[in-house]
């Protein structure tokens, strides 16, 4: 007892039963894998939904075999109805934004690797951590259940604007039970994320091992920390918004529904509510949410690139400050989703300036990444390919933001495919590339096996080219005035754009199918992959100094890690290896890196 | 040229407060009578954790506040009503409970530090806090009944809607705080209570008190 | 493979730029008075964004090309100017560029939103509802009669809920399914929604504005070219959203007067 280790933290002993080991586990590594598994199920679901949408957009009267089994009323004779298109679209967006982009880059990788990267044995509140996964999983089930009730899921888009979302079933199919299930699922999801953020923040601030100062944290750890602070504040606002929405729906309140509304010749019973109030509450959450989706990717990509460039970033601190600046600014820009909403036009101008300014930290990040490539010894492997692809995609997606940040241009581009192209490039592709980079990079540590490099490279090339084929044309459609959220293009000026839509659909089907290569690689390598060395990438951060892959239950096998170095000591000259690990006591001269 | 070598220092760990009792009893369980309990305190994670939680709760109530303000300004249908009289009583109750909790916390700290021989006094104040907390929640329910008596239900008017939502949200969090107090009572009775647990439970409780003052004033001015 | 990646990135960038430069897909031609300000802003932004896009992708490609096949003995080098140089570059180049765009863009925005309508602007009310737009002209008295929501009845085609028996101002109101306006004559559009959120978008006219339930928003514009244009809804409003549209018919003053007389007779 008197010799109790300096870190008296491991509150839970290694479990023995199957349930405790793999189902209700307190181990952050298991929880991370559970989140990854959930994200995988979600992304496959979301991808299938996108295929259904794209098929319908290319060929409106297409019979999609078996669709009537998913919904008899939504697809009589296997032909999708207009409302069913909107319902699938709503679920696609909701599943992807919440259960893929918030879950995989942040909750999955972060849960697994943050404690290890700070040198801890686990997060400080393992029971809350376990709860956070199961609460999130429950939210997923509640959301999916809306496919199977009454007239299906809500059709109001992932943005759920009131009054459409608040007046109830009278507004359309899915707006009864489907709507209540959506709002409940999301409120539950918020709780799960808050529990997660609690652990991430306390891990970063209080569980760092000896010698691990904040500036010695790897960039991935910084990214997860910054993201968790955003999550804490953003989800805490979305939750009451969803509750107020549910009340409008089931309890007859009028938070968001104005007076004198007539639907189907019936005067609606609500009065005095504010449509814009929902939008303000939603987007106050919604804009930080998209940075929650991308910042972990920035951290992971930086981390992966550094190991593969064999040098640290040109300035480690500038990357951290830039990610932090993005997080802070993200709260000031949300009104750019509301430029033509009927909000005071002065407010629109006010929001446009921080929106334009947020391009500065984004540019700094891109320039530092590119600038660090200069003079590096870049190694090409699947992980680094996805990391480099991320940079290209972030440039493309970011640049389209220049247009949307200006209210006058937004008059033309609001609610068109230009917006859809912009956010898909940054979220659906760049953020996903961050997930892929992390997957290929960390797979050897999580499983002890290597993924197949050839399959990985095929996956990269087809996905990179395919994603551009899908989403670059969205911008052209937007410039031509193609309105979004249409299930068919019947307007005179839109009919001529259908051939481009068909091209996109074909690209989407092929690129989607290519993802099965990744899935196969993941599963096959998990069982049959080549055994991985402990540190296959010759990387420096603490996850590579665990005594085994996968790491033992307490991460470091009872060893009390002491950190002696900055996180990215590469470019060491005159030594057998060109790097030194963070916990190596070796006294070396590191490569010059600017602070 | 940046060198990054640290000499391995001794194992004095930041944030690890080990207090050892002078008795020969090692780290943990002591009967409540007669002996000084020894405590092994955690790293500051619990303390950080409660601040994190309180931040999230603050954001939620900030969102409700701005929703209230915007909704009031959006239309002319805001109907003012008399605040249920029980709320004045309830506010005093909650303030009293913070005082009793503080008394309990300090007595417990004294007991740990060796200035007292038993934690019995601390326990009594703790029970009283719990009772006062329950009275507070019951008082909220009475407030809702009083409001219904005035004819103001959840959907009657936006002012009433916000009253119910805000007081219900606060009461729910108070119930959570009561749960925390139950945990503290349980551990105190088993002599496994860490000082930090009582400290952070108190912090949460006092925050609920401060939050209530803020919400009460908000309701008072707006309703 | 690094070199192949470099070439691919640069090729994708150039290919992406081609349809923009070739104007393969463009917005419908501008037929409004204020639209040229928006189009100029768009062109400037496209040029600056285009340069940033191409420069970024080409630089990325170049560095991947150069540094992905490095000889084993090579030393790590730092980018000239280091991080500070790049940060300053970002602030100066991008910062000034975006601020310039922002400042110049204020003019286009204020033309639309901060100028009051002309004194002789023609008032027209548009009502959006699931899933159609209807229009109302005030008639010779120049006044719109009050809307009684409880009287709205699709069956009897009382689309605006007018009480023509008791409200004198409603008696001469003209309700139509199509919006006709005279060319070169400013229109003051009063936007009212019957049920939920919709939006009024006429790409050729360079206007887009959401309807807000409970709040009547207004817009003003002048069409400069005779022709038939589509008004489409851009705010998701339910299953008929894709089909919710009306025609904007810009006519000569003479044709418009005849049209209005005809519509009045049909009430």
């Amino acid at each position: 007892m008197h010799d109790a280790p300096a870190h008296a933290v491991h509150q839970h002993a290694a479990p023995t039963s199957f349930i405790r080991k793999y189902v209700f586990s307190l181990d952050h590594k298991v929880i991370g894998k559970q989140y990854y598994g959930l994200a995988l199920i979600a992304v496959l679901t979301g991808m299938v939904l996108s295929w259904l949408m794209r098929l319908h957009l290319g060929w409106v009267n297409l019979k999609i075999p078996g669709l009537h089994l998913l919904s008899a009323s939504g697809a009589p004779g296997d032909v999708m109805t207009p409302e069913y298109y909107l319902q699938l679209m709503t679920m696609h967006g909701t599943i992807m934004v919440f259960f893929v982009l918030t879950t995989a880059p942040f909750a999955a990788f972060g849960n697994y690797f943050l404690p290890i990267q700070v040198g801890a044995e686990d997060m400080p509140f393992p029971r809350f951590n376990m709860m956070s996964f199961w609460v999130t999983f429950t939210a997923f089930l509640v959301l999916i259940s809306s496919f199977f009730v009454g007239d299906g899921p809500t059709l109001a888009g992932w943005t759920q604007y009131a009054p459409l979302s608040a007046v109830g079933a009278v507004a359309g199919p899915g707006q009864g039970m489907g709507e209540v299930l959506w709002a409940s699922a999301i409120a539950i999801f918020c709780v799960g994320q808050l529990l997660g953020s609690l652990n991430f923040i306390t891990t970063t601030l209080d569980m760092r091992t000896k010698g691990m100062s904040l500036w010695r944290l790897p960039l991935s750890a910084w990214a997860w920390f910054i993201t968790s602070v955003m999550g804490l504040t953003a989800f805490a606002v979305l939750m009451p918004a969803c509750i107020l929405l549910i009340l409008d729906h089931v309890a007859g309140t009028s938070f968001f529904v104005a007076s004198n509304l007539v639907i189907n010749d019936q005067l609606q019973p609500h009065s005095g509510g504010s449509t814009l109030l929902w939008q303000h509450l939603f987007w106050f959450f919604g804009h930080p949410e998209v940075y929650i989706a991308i910042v972990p990717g920035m951290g992971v990509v930086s981390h992966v690139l550094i190991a593969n460039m064999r040098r640290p970033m040109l300035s480690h601190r500038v990357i951290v400050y830039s990610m932090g600046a993005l997080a802070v600014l993200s709260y000031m820009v949300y009104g750019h989703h509301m430029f033509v909403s009927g909000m005071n036009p002065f407010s629109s101008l006010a929001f446009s300036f921080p929106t334009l300014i947020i391009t500065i930290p984004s540019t700094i990040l891109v320039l530092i990444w590119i600038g660090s490539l200069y003079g590096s010894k870049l190694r090409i492997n699947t992980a680094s390919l996805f990391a480099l692809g991320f940079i290209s995609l972030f440039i493309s997606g970011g640049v389209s933001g220049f247009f949307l940040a200006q209210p006058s241009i937004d008059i033309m581009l609001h609610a068109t495919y230009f917006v859809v192209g912009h956010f898909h490039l940054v979220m659906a592709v760049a953020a996903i590339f961050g997930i892929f980079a992390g997957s290929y990079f960390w797979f050897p540590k999580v499983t002890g096996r290597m993924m197949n490099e050839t399959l990985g490279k095929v996956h990269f090339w087809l996905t990179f080219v395919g994603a551009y084929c899908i989403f670059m044309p969205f911008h052209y459609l937007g410039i031509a005035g193609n309105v979004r959220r249409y299930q068919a293009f019947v307007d005179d000026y839109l009919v001529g754009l259908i051939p481009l839509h068909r091209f996109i659909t074909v690209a989407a089907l092929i690129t989607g199918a290519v993802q099965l290569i990744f899935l196969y690689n993941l599963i096959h390598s998990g069982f049959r992959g080549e055994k991985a060395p402990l540190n296959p990438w010759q990387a420096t951060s603490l996850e590579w100094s665990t005594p085994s892959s996968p790491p033992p239950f307490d991460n470091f096998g009872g060893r009390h890690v002491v950190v002696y170095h900055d996180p990215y000591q590469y470019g060491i000259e005159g030594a057998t290896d060109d790097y030194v690990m963070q916990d190596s006591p070796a006294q070396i001269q590191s490569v010059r890196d600017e602070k | 040229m940046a060198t990054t070598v640290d000499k391995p220092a001794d194992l004095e760990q930041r944030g690890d407060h080990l207090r050892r009792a002078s008795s020969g009893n090692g780290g943990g369980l002591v009967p409540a009578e007669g002996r000084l309990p020894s405590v092994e305190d955690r790293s500051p994670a619990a303390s950080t954790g409660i601040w994190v939680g309180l931040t999230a709760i603050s954001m939620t109530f900030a969102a409700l506040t701005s929703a209230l303000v915007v909704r009031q300004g959006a239309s002319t249908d805001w109907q003012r009503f008399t605040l249920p009289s029980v709320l004045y009583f309830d506010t005093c109750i909650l303030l009293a409970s913070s005082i009793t909790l503080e008394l309990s916390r300090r007595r417990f700290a004294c007991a740990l530090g060796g200035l007292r021989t038993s934690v019995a006094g601390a326990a009594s104040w703790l029970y009283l806090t719990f009772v006062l907390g329950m009275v507070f929640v019951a008082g909220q329910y009475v407030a809702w009944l009083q409001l219904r008596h005035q004819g103001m239900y959840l959907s009657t008017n936006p002012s009433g809607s916000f009253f119910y939502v805000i007081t219900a949200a606060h009461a729910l969090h108070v119930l959570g705080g009561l749960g925390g107090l139950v945990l503290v009572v349980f551990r105190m009775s088993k002599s496994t209570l860490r000082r930090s647990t009582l400290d952070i439970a108190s912090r949460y409780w006092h925050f609920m008190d401060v939050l209530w003052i803020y919400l009460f004033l908000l309701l008072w001015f707006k309703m | 493979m690094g070199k192949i990646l470099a070439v691919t990135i640069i090729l994708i960038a150039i290919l992406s730029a081609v349809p923009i430069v070739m104007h393969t897909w463009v917005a419908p031609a501008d037929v409004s008075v204020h639209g040229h300000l928006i189009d100029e802003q768009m062109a400037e932004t496209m040029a600056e964004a285009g340069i940033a896009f191409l420069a970024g992708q080409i630089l990325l490609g170049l560095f991947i090309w150069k540094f992905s096949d490095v000889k084993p003995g090579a030393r790590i080098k730092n980018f000239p100017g280091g991080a500070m140089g790049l940060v300053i570059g970002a602030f100066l180049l991008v910062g000034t560029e975006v601020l310039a765009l922002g400042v110049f863009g204020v003019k286009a925005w204020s033309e639309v939103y901060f100028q009051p309508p002309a004194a002789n602007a023609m008032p027209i009310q548009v009502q959006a509802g699931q899933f159609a737009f209807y229009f109302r002209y005030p008639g010779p008295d120049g006044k719109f009669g009050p809307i009684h929501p409880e009287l709205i009845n699709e069956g009897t085609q009382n689309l605006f809920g007018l009480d023509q028996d008791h409200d004198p101002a409603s008696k001469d109101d003209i309700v139509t399914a199509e919006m006709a306006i005279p060319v070169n004559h400013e229109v003051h559009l009063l936007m009212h929604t019957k049920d939920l959120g919709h939006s009024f978008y006429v790409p050729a006219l360079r206007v887009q504005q959401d309807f807000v339930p409970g709040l009547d928003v207004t817009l003003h514009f002048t069409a400069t070219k005779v022709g038939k244009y589509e008004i489409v809804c851009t705010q998701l409003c339910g299953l008929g959203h894709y089909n919710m549209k009306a025609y904007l018919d810009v006519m000569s003053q003479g044709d418009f007067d005849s049209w209005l007389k005809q519509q009045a007779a049909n009430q």
Side-chain angles (χ1 to χ4, degrees), chain A residues 102-439:
Chain A
T102 312
T103 313
F106 173 66
F109 289 126
N111 261 305
Y112 200 106
F113 286 103
L114 181 63
I116 304 178
Q117 288 192 342
V118 308
E121 292 174 16
D122 205 317
M123 290 184 156
F125 307 108
R127 272 168 300 192
F128 280 151
N129 215 20
M130 177 181 76
M131 262 168 57
S132 102
F133 172 72
W134 286 108
V135 168
T136 306
F137 185 72
T138 305
F140 185 69
L141 291 179
V142 172
L143 183 71
I144 296 292
S145 73
S146 65
F147 270 116
F148 306 110
V149 300
D151 48 5
T154 162
L155 50 60
W158 89 282
T159 49
Q160 295 288 309
Y161 276 16
L164 178 60
S165 58
V167 289
V170 66
Q175 290 313 100
M177 189 49 140
E179 174 63 49
V180 176
L181 286 172
W182 186 96
S184 309
I186 297 307
I188 296 170
F189 180 87
C190 291
V191 173
Q193 293 311 296
L194 290 173
L195 291 170
S197 286
L198 167 70
N199 266 304
F200 276 61
I201 294 172
T202 47
T203 300
T204 312
L205 292 179
D206 298 314
M207 307 302 281
R208 285 170 283 123
T209 191
K210 176 165 178 49
M212 179 62 86
S213 66
L214 283 176
W215 283 121
R216 283 183 176 170
L217 286 172
L219 290 170
S220 44
W222 269 109
W224 290 319
F225 174 62
I226 290 170
T227 303
S228 62
V229 175
M230 282 196 283
L232 189 72
T233 38
F235 286 110
V237 168
L238 181 62
M239 190 175 52
C242 286
I243 292 177
L244 296 184
L245 185 63
I246 294 174
L247 288 177
D248 266 8
H249 209 275
V250 308
T253 52
S254 300
F255 294 108
F256 306 120
V257 188
S259 320
N260 298 323
L261 302 181
V262 176
I263 304 180
N264 291 342
D265 287 348
Q266 307 269 26
L267 195 57
Q268 296 303 300
H270 303 266
S271 69
S274 168
T275 310
L276 290 173
L277 175 60
W278 169 262
Q279 293 183 38
H280 281 287
L281 288 170
F282 182 83
W283 288 117
F284 183 86
F285 146 78
H287 199 83
E289 164 69 359
V290 308
Y291 285 95
I292 289 170
I294 196 78
V295 166
M298 292 173 166
V300 169
V301 158
S302 302
H303 189 71
V304 168
L305 263 184
I306 289 171
N308 286 301
M309 293 192 301
R310 311 311 295 166
R311 51 92 50 84
M313 287 288 165
L314 214 49
S315 169
H316 183 89
R317 292 191 185 203
V318 167
I319 300 255
V320 173
Y321 289 136
S322 300
M323 290 194 295
L326 283 180
V328 170
L329 284 168
S330 73
Y331 288 91
M332 303 182 200
V333 302
Y334 76 84
H336 63 234
H337 301 270
M338 296 169 63
F339 281 152
V340 296
S341 64
M343 158 171 93
N344 187 329
F346 281 108
S347 304
S348 300
L349 283 180
F351 276 111
S352 80
F353 280 95
T355 309
L356 287 165
I357 288 172
I358 212 171
T359 53
I360 298 176
S362 313
T363 305
I364 291 174
L365 282 166
V366 169
L367 288 179
I368 300 281
W369 288 326
I370 296 180
S372 304
L373 281 170
Y374 181 94
S376 70
K377 297 189 198 178
L378 182 62
R379 291 189 313 202
I380 299 290
N381 49 54
T382 308
S384 71
L385 282 170
F386 275 106
L388 293 166
F390 175 96
I391 301 176
S392 169
L393 292 158
F394 187 70
I395 294 172
S396 306
V399 156
S400 55
F402 279 37
F403 295 83
L404 298 169
Q406 300 175 63
S408 54
I409 296 186
D410 200 50
I411 290 175
M412 291 307 288
L413 298 178
H414 173 73
T416 64
Y417 268 81
F418 195 90
V419 178
V420 185
H422 166 72
F423 68 68
H424 275 92
L425 271 181
V426 273
M427 293 208 295
V429 200
I432 299 279
F433 268 48
I435 297 172
F436 285 139
S439 303

Side-chain angles (χ1 to χ4, degrees), chain A residues 419-459:
Chain A
V419 178
V420 185
H422 166 72
F423 68 68
H424 275 92
L425 271 181
V426 273
M427 293 208 295
V429 200
I432 299 279
F433 268 48
I435 297 172
F436 285 139
S439 303
Y440 285 98
F441 188 72
W442 278 316
F443 188 88
K445 179 50 62 178
V446 173
T447 62
R449 295 176 183 275
M450 301 299 287
M451 285 184 83
N452 184 301
E453 258 301 290
T454 310
L455 286 179
K457 288 184 166 122
V458 171
H459 174 221

Side-chain angles (χ1 to χ4, degrees), chain A residues 1 6 8 124-125 198 201-202 206 208 216 232-233 236 247 251-255 271-273 277 564-565 587 589-590, chain B residues 1-6 11 13-14 16 20 40 44-46 48-49 52 56 59-60 67 71 75 77 154-155 161-162 165:
Chain A
M1 272 304 177
F125 307 108
L198 167 70
I201 294 172
T202 47
D206 298 314
R208 285 170 283 123
R216 283 183 176 170
L232 189 72
T233 38
L247 288 177
T253 52
S254 300
F255 294 108
S271 69
L277 175 60
Y564 299 96
H565 304 284
Q587 299 188 11
Q589 294 290 84
S590 68
Chain B
M1 196 57 121
T3 54
T4 55
V5 176
D6 271 354
L11 289 179
Q13 186 52 254
R14 164 200 54 81
D16 192 30
R20 296 278 159 212
E40 188 201 302
T48 311
V52 168
M59 288 305 292
T60 296
R71 177 59 179 86
S75 188
D77 62 348
L154 177 60
S155 59
S161 305
F162 274 104
V165 169

Side-chain angles (χ1 to χ4, degrees), chain B residues 96-110:
Chain B
S97 74
S98 269
I99 295 171
T100 55
L101 185 57
E102 258 311 280
L103 288 168
S104 169
R105 194 179 69 84
R106 283 160 197 242
R107 274 164 174 66
F108 185 68
C110 283

Side-chain angles (χ1 to χ4, degrees), chain A residues 17 76 83 168 171 183 193 279 324 335 371 377 455 474-475 490 496 524 553 587:
Chain A
S17 72
E83 58 269 28
Q193 293 311 296
Q279 293 183 38
K377 297 189 198 178
L455 286 179
F474 276 40
H475 298 86
V490 302
H524 186 262
F553 180 70
Q587 299 188 11

